[in-house]
Coordinates of all heavy atoms in Angstrom, one line a residue:
R27 N -11.1 10.3 12.4 CA -10.4 9.0 12.3 C -11.3 8.0 11.7 O -10.8 7.2 10.9 CB -10.1 8.6 13.8 CG -9.4 7.3 13.8 CD -8.7 7.0 15.1 NE -8.3 5.7 15.2 CZ -7.0 5.3 14.9 NH1 -6.2 6.2 14.5 NH2 -6.7 4.1 15.0
R28 N -12.6 8.1 11.9 CA -13.5 7.1 11.3 C -13.5 7.2 9.8 O -13.5 6.2 9.1 CB -14.9 7.3 11.8 CG -15.9 6.4 11.3 CD -17.3 6.5 12.0 NE -18.3 5.8 11.3 CZ -19.5 6.2 11.0 NH1 -19.8 7.4 11.4 NH2 -20.3 5.5 10.3
N29 N -13.5 8.5 9.3 CA -13.4 8.7 7.8 C -12.1 8.1 7.2 O -12.2 7.5 6.2 CB -13.4 10.2 7.6 CG -13.5 10.5 6.1 OD1 -14.2 9.8 5.3 ND2 -12.8 11.5 5.6
L30 N -11.0 8.2 7.9 CA -9.8 7.6 7.4 C -9.9 6.1 7.4 O -9.5 5.5 6.4 CB -8.6 8.1 8.4 CG -7.2 7.5 8.0 CD1 -6.8 7.9 6.6 CD2 -6.2 7.9 9.1
E31 N -10.4 5.5 8.4 CA -10.6 4.1 8.4 C -11.5 3.6 7.3 O -11.3 2.6 6.7 CB -11.1 3.6 9.8 CG -10.0 3.8 10.9 CD -10.6 3.5 12.3 OE1 -11.7 3.0 12.4 OE2 -9.8 3.6 13.2
E32 N -12.6 4.3 7.1 CA -13.5 3.9 6.0 C -12.9 4.1 4.6 O -13.3 3.4 3.7 CB -14.8 4.8 6.1 CG -15.6 4.5 7.3 CD -16.8 5.4 7.5 OE1 -16.9 6.4 6.7 OE2 -17.6 5.2 8.4
R33 N -11.9 4.9 4.5 CA -11.3 5.2 3.2 C -10.0 4.4 3.0 O -9.2 4.7 2.1 CB -11.1 6.7 3.0 CG -12.4 7.4 2.9 CD -12.3 8.9 2.7 NE -11.2 9.3 1.8 CZ -11.3 9.5 0.5 NH1 -12.5 9.2 -0.1 NH2 -10.3 9.9 -0.3
T34 N -9.7 3.5 3.9 CA -8.4 2.7 3.8 C -8.8 1.2 3.6 O -9.5 0.6 4.3 CB -7.6 2.9 5.1 OG1 -7.4 4.2 5.3 CG2 -6.3 2.1 5.0
S35 N -8.2 0.7 2.5 CA -8.4 -0.7 2.2 C -7.1 -1.5 2.4 O -6.0 -0.9 2.5 CB -8.7 -0.8 0.7 OG -9.9 -0.1 0.4
V36 N -7.2 -2.8 2.5 CA -6.1 -3.7 2.8 C -5.9 -4.6 1.6 O -6.9 -5.2 1.0 CB -6.3 -4.6 4.0 CG1 -5.2 -5.6 4.2 CG2 -6.4 -3.7 5.3
A37 N -4.7 -4.7 1.1 CA -4.3 -5.6 0.0 C -3.3 -6.6 0.4 O -2.3 -6.2 1.0 CB -3.8 -4.8 -1.2
T38 N -3.5 -7.8 0.1 CA -2.5 -8.9 0.5 C -2.0 -9.6 -0.8 O -1.1 -10.4 -0.7 CB -3.1 -9.9 1.4 OG1 -4.3 -10.5 0.8 CG2 -3.5 -9.3 2.8
S39 N -2.4 -9.1 -1.9 CA -1.9 -9.6 -3.2 C -1.7 -8.5 -4.2 O -2.4 -7.4 -4.0 CB -2.8 -10.7 -3.8 OG -4.0 -10.1 -4.4
Y40 N -0.9 -8.6 -5.2 CA -0.7 -7.5 -6.1 C -1.9 -7.3 -6.9 O -2.3 -6.2 -7.2 CB 0.5 -7.8 -7.0 CG 1.0 -6.6 -7.7 CD1 1.4 -5.5 -7.0 CD2 1.1 -6.6 -9.1 CE1 1.9 -4.3 -7.7 CE2 1.6 -5.4 -9.8 CZ 1.9 -4.3 -9.0 OH 2.4 -3.2 -9.7
E41 N -2.6 -8.4 -7.3 CA -3.9 -8.2 -8.1 C -4.9 -7.4 -7.3 O -5.6 -6.5 -7.8 CB -4.4 -9.6 -8.5 CG -3.6 -10.4 -9.4 CD -2.3 -11.0 -8.7 OE1 -2.3 -11.2 -7.5 OE2 -1.4 -11.3 -9.4
Q42 N -5.0 -7.7 -6.0 CA -5.9 -7.0 -5.1 C -5.5 -5.5 -5.0 O -6.3 -4.6 -5.1 CB -6.0 -7.7 -3.8 CG -7.0 -7.1 -2.8 CD -7.0 -7.9 -1.5 OE1 -6.0 -8.4 -1.1 NE2 -8.1 -7.9 -0.9
F43 N -4.2 -5.3 -4.9 CA -3.7 -3.9 -4.8 C -4.0 -3.1 -6.1 O -4.5 -2.0 -6.0 CB -2.1 -4.0 -4.6 CG -1.5 -2.7 -4.3 CD1 -1.1 -2.4 -3.0 CD2 -1.3 -1.7 -5.3 CE1 -0.5 -1.2 -2.7 CE2 -0.7 -0.5 -4.9 CZ -0.3 -0.2 -3.6
L44 N -3.8 -3.7 -7.2 CA -4.1 -3.0 -8.5 C -5.6 -2.8 -8.6 O -6.0 -1.7 -9.1 CB -3.6 -3.9 -9.7 CG -2.1 -4.0 -9.8 CD1 -1.8 -5.0 -11.0 CD2 -1.4 -2.7 -10.0
D45 N -6.4 -3.7 -8.2 CA -7.9 -3.5 -8.3 C -8.4 -2.4 -7.4 O -9.1 -1.5 -7.8 CB -8.6 -4.8 -7.9 CG -10.1 -4.7 -7.9 OD1 -10.6 -4.4 -9.0 OD2 -10.8 -4.9 -6.9
I46 N -7.8 -2.3 -6.2 CA -8.2 -1.3 -5.2 C -7.7 0.1 -5.8 O -8.5 1.1 -5.8 CB -7.6 -1.5 -3.8 CG1 -8.3 -2.7 -3.2 CG2 -7.8 -0.3 -2.9 CD1 -7.5 -3.2 -2.0
A47 N -6.5 0.1 -6.3 CA -5.9 1.4 -6.8 C -6.8 1.9 -8.0 O -6.9 3.1 -8.1 CB -4.5 1.2 -7.3
E48 N -7.3 1.0 -8.8 CA -8.1 1.4 -9.9 C -9.5 1.8 -9.6 O -10.1 2.6 -10.2 CB -8.1 0.3 -11.0 CG -8.8 0.7 -12.3 CD -8.6 -0.4 -13.4 OE1 -7.6 -1.0 -13.4 OE2 -9.6 -0.6 -14.1
N49 N -10.1 1.1 -8.6 CA -11.6 1.2 -8.4 C -12.0 1.9 -7.1 O -13.2 2.1 -6.9 CB -12.2 -0.2 -8.5 CG -12.0 -0.8 -9.8 OD1 -12.4 -0.3 -10.9 ND2 -11.3 -2.0 -9.9
K50 N -11.1 2.2 -6.3 CA -11.5 2.9 -5.0 C -10.6 4.1 -4.8 O -9.5 4.2 -5.3 CB -11.3 1.9 -3.8 CG -12.2 0.8 -3.8 CD -12.0 0.0 -2.5 CE -13.1 -1.1 -2.3 NZ -12.9 -1.8 -1.0
S51 N -11.2 5.0 -4.0 CA -10.3 6.2 -3.6 C -9.9 5.9 -2.2 O -10.4 5.1 -1.5 CB -11.2 7.5 -3.7 OG -12.3 7.4 -2.8
G52 N -8.9 6.7 -1.8 CA -8.4 6.5 -0.4 C -7.1 5.9 -0.4 O -6.3 6.0 -1.3
F53 N -6.8 5.2 0.7 CA -5.5 4.6 1.0 C -5.5 3.1 0.9 O -6.6 2.5 1.1 CB -4.9 5.1 2.3 CG -4.8 6.5 2.5 CD1 -5.7 7.3 3.1 CD2 -3.6 7.2 1.9 CE1 -5.5 8.7 3.2 CE2 -3.5 8.5 2.0 CZ -4.4 9.3 2.7
I54 N -4.3 2.5 0.7 CA -4.2 1.1 0.7 C -3.1 0.7 1.7 O -2.0 1.2 1.6 CB -3.8 0.6 -0.7 CG1 -4.8 1.0 -1.8 CG2 -3.7 -1.0 -0.7 CD1 -4.3 0.8 -3.2
K55 N -3.4 -0.2 2.6 CA -2.4 -0.8 3.5 C -1.9 -2.1 2.9 O -2.7 -2.9 2.6 CB -3.0 -1.0 4.9 CG -3.3 0.3 5.6 CD -3.6 0.2 7.1 CE -4.3 -1.0 7.7 NZ -4.6 -0.8 9.1
A56 N -0.6 -2.2 2.8 CA 0.0 -3.4 2.2 C 1.4 -3.6 2.7 O 2.1 -2.6 3.1 CB -0.1 -3.4 0.7
M57 N 1.9 -4.8 2.7 CA 3.3 -5.1 3.1 C 4.2 -4.8 2.0 O 3.9 -4.9 0.8 CB 3.4 -6.6 3.5 CG 2.4 -7.0 4.6 SD 2.6 -6.0 6.2 CE 4.2 -6.5 6.8
W58 N 5.5 -4.4 2.4 CA 6.5 -4.0 1.4 C 7.9 -4.5 1.8 O 8.2 -4.5 3.0 CB 6.5 -2.5 1.3 CG 7.5 -1.9 0.4 CD1 7.7 -2.2 -0.9 CD2 8.4 -0.8 0.7 NE1 8.7 -1.4 -1.5 CE2 9.1 -0.5 -0.5 CE3 8.6 0.0 1.8 CZ2 10.1 0.5 -0.6 CZ3 9.5 1.0 1.7 CH2 10.2 1.3 0.5
C59 N 8.7 -4.9 0.9 CA 10.0 -5.5 1.2 C 11.0 -4.4 1.4 O 12.1 -4.6 1.9 CB 10.5 -6.3 0.0 SG 10.7 -5.5 -1.6
G60 N 10.7 -3.1 1.0 CA 11.7 -2.0 1.2 C 12.5 -1.7 0.0 O 13.3 -0.8 -0.1
D61 N 12.3 -2.5 -1.1 CA 13.0 -2.4 -2.3 C 12.4 -1.2 -3.2 O 11.2 -1.2 -3.5 CB 13.0 -3.7 -3.1 CG 14.0 -3.6 -4.3 OD1 14.3 -2.5 -4.9 OD2 14.4 -4.7 -4.7
E62 N 13.3 -0.3 -3.5 CA 12.8 0.9 -4.3 C 12.2 0.4 -5.7 O 11.3 1.1 -6.2 CB 13.9 1.8 -4.6 CG 13.5 3.2 -5.2 CD 14.6 4.1 -5.3 OE1 15.5 4.2 -4.4 OE2 14.7 4.8 -6.4
A63 N 12.7 -0.7 -6.2 CA 12.2 -1.2 -7.5 C 10.7 -1.6 -7.4 O 9.9 -1.3 -8.3 CB 13.0 -2.4 -8.0
C64 N 10.3 -2.1 -6.2 CA 8.9 -2.4 -6.0 C 8.0 -1.2 -6.0 O 6.9 -1.1 -6.5 CB 8.7 -3.3 -4.8 SG 9.2 -5.0 -5.0
E65 N 8.5 -0.2 -5.2 CA 7.8 1.1 -5.1 C 7.7 1.8 -6.5 O 6.6 2.3 -6.9 CB 8.5 2.1 -4.2 CG 7.7 3.3 -4.0 CD 8.2 4.2 -2.9 OE1 9.3 4.0 -2.4 OE2 7.4 5.1 -2.4
T66 N 8.7 1.7 -7.3 CA 8.7 2.3 -8.7 C 7.7 1.5 -9.5 O 6.9 2.1 -10.3 CB 10.1 2.2 -9.3 OG1 10.9 3.0 -8.5 CG2 10.0 2.8 -10.7
K67 N 7.7 0.2 -9.5 CA 6.7 -0.6 -10.2 C 5.3 -0.3 -9.9 O 4.4 -0.1 -10.7 CB 7.0 -2.1 -10.0 CG 6.0 -3.0 -10.8 CD 6.3 -4.5 -10.5 CE 5.3 -5.3 -11.2 NZ 5.6 -6.8 -11.0
I68 N 5.0 -0.2 -8.6 CA 3.7 0.1 -8.1 C 3.3 1.5 -8.6 O 2.2 1.7 -9.2 CB 3.6 0.1 -6.6 CG1 3.7 -1.4 -6.1 CG2 2.3 0.8 -6.1 CD1 3.8 -1.6 -4.6
K69 N 4.1 2.5 -8.5 CA 3.8 3.8 -9.0 C 3.5 3.8 -10.5 O 2.6 4.5 -10.9 CB 5.0 4.8 -8.7 CG 4.8 6.2 -9.1 CD 6.0 7.0 -8.8 CE 5.9 8.4 -9.5 NZ 7.2 9.1 -9.5
D70 N 4.4 3.2 -11.2 CA 4.2 3.1 -12.7 C 2.9 2.4 -13.1 O 2.3 2.8 -14.1 CB 5.4 2.5 -13.4 CG 6.7 3.4 -13.2 OD1 6.6 4.5 -12.9 OD2 7.8 2.8 -13.5
E71 N 2.6 1.3 -12.5 CA 1.5 0.5 -12.9 C 0.1 0.9 -12.3 O -0.9 0.4 -12.7 CB 1.7 -1.0 -12.6 CG 2.9 -1.5 -13.4 CD 3.1 -3.0 -13.2 OE1 2.4 -3.7 -12.4 OE2 4.1 -3.5 -13.8
T72 N 0.1 1.9 -11.4 CA -1.1 2.4 -10.8 C -1.4 3.8 -11.1 O -2.4 4.4 -10.5 CB -1.1 2.2 -9.3 OG1 0.0 2.9 -8.8 CG2 -1.0 0.7 -8.9
G73 N -0.6 4.4 -11.9 CA -0.9 5.9 -12.2 C -0.5 6.8 -11.1 O -1.1 7.8 -10.9
G74 N 0.5 6.4 -10.3 CA 1.0 7.4 -9.3 C 0.8 7.0 -7.8 O 1.1 7.8 -7.0
V75 N 0.3 5.8 -7.5 CA 0.2 5.4 -6.1 C 1.6 5.2 -5.6 O 2.4 4.5 -6.2 CB -0.6 4.1 -5.9 CG1 -0.5 3.6 -4.5 CG2 -2.0 4.3 -6.4
K76 N 1.9 5.9 -4.4 CA 3.2 5.8 -3.8 C 3.1 5.5 -2.3 O 2.0 5.7 -1.8 CB 4.0 7.2 -4.0 CG 4.2 7.6 -5.4 CD 5.1 8.8 -5.6 CE 4.8 10.0 -4.8 NZ 5.6 11.1 -5.0
S77 N 4.2 5.2 -1.7 CA 4.2 5.0 -0.3 C 4.0 6.3 0.4 O 4.6 7.3 0.0 CB 5.5 4.4 0.2 OG 6.6 5.2 -0.1
R78 N 3.1 6.4 1.3 CA 2.8 7.7 2.0 C 3.4 7.7 3.3 O 3.9 8.7 3.8 CB 1.3 7.9 2.1 CG 0.5 7.9 0.7 CD 1.1 8.7 -0.4 NE 1.3 10.1 0.0 CZ 2.0 10.9 -0.7 NH1 2.7 10.5 -1.8 NH2 2.1 12.2 -0.3
C79 N 3.3 6.6 4.1 CA 4.0 6.5 5.4 C 4.1 5.1 5.9 O 3.4 4.2 5.4 CB 3.2 7.4 6.4 SG 1.6 6.7 6.9
I80 N 5.0 4.9 6.8 CA 5.1 3.7 7.5 C 4.7 4.0 8.9 O 5.5 4.7 9.6 CB 6.6 3.1 7.5 CG1 7.0 2.8 6.0 CG2 6.7 1.9 8.4 CD1 8.5 2.5 5.9
P81 N 3.6 3.5 9.4 CA 3.1 3.9 10.7 C 4.0 3.4 11.8 O 4.7 2.4 11.7 CB 1.7 3.2 10.8 CG 1.4 2.8 9.4 CD 2.6 2.7 8.7
F82 N 4.0 4.1 13.0 CA 4.7 3.7 14.1 C 4.2 2.3 14.6 O 5.0 1.4 14.9 CB 4.6 4.7 15.3 CG 5.3 5.9 15.0 CD1 4.6 7.1 14.9 CD2 6.7 6.0 14.9 CE1 5.3 8.3 14.7 CE2 7.4 7.2 14.7 CZ 6.7 8.3 14.6
H83 N 2.9 2.1 14.5 CA 2.3 0.8 14.8 C 2.0 0.1 13.5 O 1.1 0.5 12.8 CB 1.1 0.9 15.7 CG 0.4 -0.4 15.9 ND1 0.9 -1.4 16.7 CD2 -0.8 -0.9 15.3 CE1 0.0 -2.4 16.7 NE2 -0.9 -2.1 15.8
E84 N 2.8 -0.9 13.1 CA 2.5 -1.6 11.8 C 1.7 -2.8 12.0 O 2.1 -3.7 12.8 CB 3.9 -1.9 11.2 CG 4.8 -0.7 10.9 CD 6.1 -1.1 10.2 OE1 6.1 -2.1 9.4 OE2 7.1 -0.5 10.6
D85 N 0.6 -2.9 11.3 CA -0.2 -4.2 11.3 C 0.6 -5.2 10.5 O 1.1 -4.9 9.4 CB -1.5 -3.9 10.7 CG -2.4 -3.0 11.5 OD1 -2.2 -2.9 12.7 OD2 -3.2 -2.3 10.9
K86 N 0.7 -6.4 10.9 CA 1.3 -7.5 10.1 C 0.2 -8.1 9.3 O -0.5 -9.0 9.7 CB 2.0 -8.5 11.0 CG 2.7 -9.5 10.2 CD 3.5 -10.5 11.1 CE 4.2 -11.5 10.2 NZ 5.0 -12.4 11.0
L87 N 0.1 -7.7 8.0 CA -1.0 -8.1 7.1 C -0.6 -9.4 6.5 O -1.5 -10.2 6.1 CB -1.3 -7.1 6.1 CG -1.6 -5.7 6.6 CD1 -1.7 -4.7 5.5 CD2 -2.9 -5.7 7.5
S88 N 0.7 -9.6 6.3 CA 1.2 -10.9 5.7 C 2.7 -10.9 5.9 O 3.3 -9.9 6.5 CB 0.9 -11.1 4.2 OG 1.7 -10.2 3.4
D89 N 3.4 -11.9 5.5 CA 4.8 -12.0 5.7 C 5.6 -11.6 4.4 O 6.8 -11.5 4.4 CB 5.2 -13.5 6.0 CG 4.7 -13.9 7.4 OD1 4.7 -13.0 8.3 OD2 4.4 -15.1 7.5
V90 N 4.9 -11.3 3.3 CA 5.6 -11.0 2.0 C 5.2 -9.7 1.4 O 4.1 -9.2 1.7 CB 5.3 -12.2 1.0 CG1 5.9 -13.5 1.5 CG2 3.9 -12.3 0.7
C91 N 6.1 -9.2 0.6 CA 5.8 -7.9 -0.1 C 4.6 -8.1 -1.1 O 4.6 -9.1 -1.8 CB 7.1 -7.5 -0.9 SG 6.9 -6.1 -1.9
V92 N 3.7 -7.2 -1.1 CA 2.6 -7.3 -2.0 C 3.0 -7.2 -3.4 O 2.3 -7.8 -4.3 CB 1.6 -6.1 -1.7 CG1 2.1 -4.8 -2.1 CG2 0.2 -6.4 -2.2
C93 N 4.1 -6.7 -3.8 CA 4.6 -6.5 -5.1 C 5.4 -7.7 -5.6 O 5.1 -8.3 -6.7 CB 5.4 -5.2 -5.3 SG 5.9 -4.9 -7.0
C94 N 6.4 -8.1 -4.9 CA 7.4 -9.1 -5.4 C 7.3 -10.5 -4.7 O 7.9 -11.4 -5.2 CB 8.8 -8.6 -5.3 SG 9.4 -8.4 -3.6
G95 N 6.7 -10.5 -3.5 CA 6.6 -11.8 -2.8 C 7.8 -12.1 -1.9 O 7.9 -13.1 -1.3
K96 N 8.8 -11.2 -1.9 CA 10.0 -11.4 -1.0 C 9.5 -11.1 0.4 O 8.5 -10.4 0.7 CB 11.1 -10.4 -1.4 CG 11.7 -10.8 -2.7 CD 12.8 -9.8 -3.0 CE 13.4 -10.1 -4.4 NZ 14.4 -9.0 -4.9
P97 N 10.3 -11.5 1.4 CA 10.0 -11.2 2.8 C 9.7 -9.7 3.0 O 10.5 -8.8 2.6 CB 11.2 -11.6 3.6 CG 11.8 -12.7 2.8 CD 11.6 -12.2 1.4
A98 N 8.6 -9.4 3.7 CA 8.2 -8.0 3.9 C 9.0 -7.4 5.1 O 9.2 -8.1 6.1 CB 6.7 -7.9 4.2
K99 N 9.3 -6.1 5.0 CA 10.0 -5.4 6.1 C 9.1 -4.5 6.8 O 9.2 -4.2 8.0 CB 11.2 -4.6 5.6 CG 12.3 -5.5 5.1 CD 13.5 -4.7 4.6 CE 14.6 -5.6 4.1 NZ 15.7 -4.8 3.5
H100 N 8.1 -3.9 6.1 CA 7.2 -2.9 6.7 C 5.8 -3.0 6.1 O 5.5 -3.5 5.0 CB 7.7 -1.5 6.3 CG 9.1 -1.2 6.8 ND1 9.3 -0.9 8.1 CD2 10.2 -1.1 6.1 CE1 10.6 -0.7 8.2 NE2 11.2 -0.8 7.0
M101 N 4.8 -2.6 7.0 CA 3.5 -2.4 6.5 C 3.4 -0.9 6.1 O 3.8 0.0 6.9 CB 2.5 -2.7 7.6 CG 1.0 -2.7 7.1 SD 0.2 -1.1 6.9 CE 0.2 -0.5 8.6
V102 N 3.0 -0.6 4.9 CA 3.0 0.8 4.4 C 1.6 1.2 4.0 O 0.8 0.4 3.6 CB 3.9 0.8 3.1 CG1 3.9 2.2 2.5 CG2 5.4 0.4 3.5
V103 N 1.3 2.5 4.2 CA 0.1 3.1 3.7 C 0.5 3.7 2.4 O 1.4 4.6 2.3 CB -0.4 4.1 4.7 CG1 -1.7 4.8 4.2 CG2 -0.7 3.5 6.1
W104 N -0.2 3.3 1.4 CA 0.0 3.7 0.0 C -1.2 4.7 -0.4 O -2.3 4.5 0.0 CB 0.1 2.6 -1.0 CG 1.1 1.5 -0.6 CD1 1.0 0.5 0.3 CD2 2.4 1.4 -1.2 NE1 2.1 -0.2 0.3 CE2 3.0 0.3 -0.6 CE3 3.1 2.1 -2.1 CZ2 4.3 -0.1 -0.9 CZ3 4.4 1.7 -2.4 CH2 5.0 0.6 -1.8
G105 N -0.9 5.6 -1.3 CA -1.9 6.5 -1.8 C -1.4 7.4 -2.9 O -0.2 7.5 -3.2
R106 N -2.3 8.1 -3.5 CA -2.0 9.1 -4.5 C -1.9 10.5 -3.8 O -2.7 10.8 -2.9 CB -3.0 9.2 -5.6 CG -3.0 8.0 -6.6 CD -4.0 8.2 -7.7 NE -3.9 7.1 -8.6 CZ -4.6 6.0 -8.5 NH1 -5.5 5.9 -7.6 NH2 -4.4 5.0 -9.4
Q107 N -1.0 11.3 -4.3 CA -0.9 12.7 -3.8 C -1.8 13.5 -4.7 O -1.7 13.5 -5.9 CB 0.5 13.1 -3.9 CG 0.7 14.5 -3.3 CD 2.2 14.9 -3.3 OE1 3.1 14.1 -3.6 NE2 2.5 16.1 -2.9
Y108 N -2.7 14.3 -4.1 CA -3.6 15.1 -4.9 C -3.3 16.5 -4.7 O -2.7 17.0 -3.8 CB -5.1 14.9 -4.4 CG -5.5 13.5 -4.8 CD1 -5.5 12.5 -3.8 CD2 -6.0 13.2 -6.0 CE1 -6.0 11.2 -4.1 CE2 -6.4 11.9 -6.3 CZ -6.4 10.9 -5.4 OH -6.8 9.7 -5.7

């Protein structure tokens, strides 16, 4: 569990999300509106980062989607499939 926590970053802005996706390995926790268009944009602009899971216990990192700024519905763990 400690390894997972050490390899998980938090993003509250799209710029931060892109920076983490490009420069760190592991997972990214960020808020999402639930719109498939945002997930597709993230996947396309990060070289394959996709939603991996919506945890049963969701941390409220912010009120808005990290991608579009609309009201967030879920906290999602994002990552690349290897």
Side-chain angles (χ1 to χ4, degrees):
R27 179 165 172 95
R28 183 173 168 224
N29 186 38
L30 178 63
E31 289 174 4
E32 289 174 356
R33 295 178 41 85
T34 303
S35 301
V36 173
T38 55
S39 72
Y40 196 58
E41 295 76 23
Q42 187 178 31
F43 191 101
L44 293 175
D45 181 60
I46 294 167
E48 185 174 324
N49 297 304
K50 290 186 174 182
S51 62
F53 298 101
I54 305 168
K55 292 192 328 187
M57 302 304 290
W58 179 48
C59 64
D61 190 334
E62 189 176 322
C64 287
E65 184 170 17
T66 299
K67 179 180 177 180
I68 289 170
K69 179 183 171 193
D70 291 345
E71 293 185 3
T72 59
V75 172
K76 299 190 307 185
S77 61
R78 305 311 305 163
C79 73
I80 298 172
F82 290 116
H83 172 74
E84 297 180 39
D85 298 330
K86 185 174 180 179
L87 307 173
S88 75
D89 293 325
V90 297
C91 175
V92 73
C93 184
C94 69
K96 292 179 184 173
K99 294 182 181 176
H100 300 286
M101 191 280 298
V102 176
V103 177
W104 304 82
R106 286 187 179 88
Q107 183 174 355
Y108 294 98

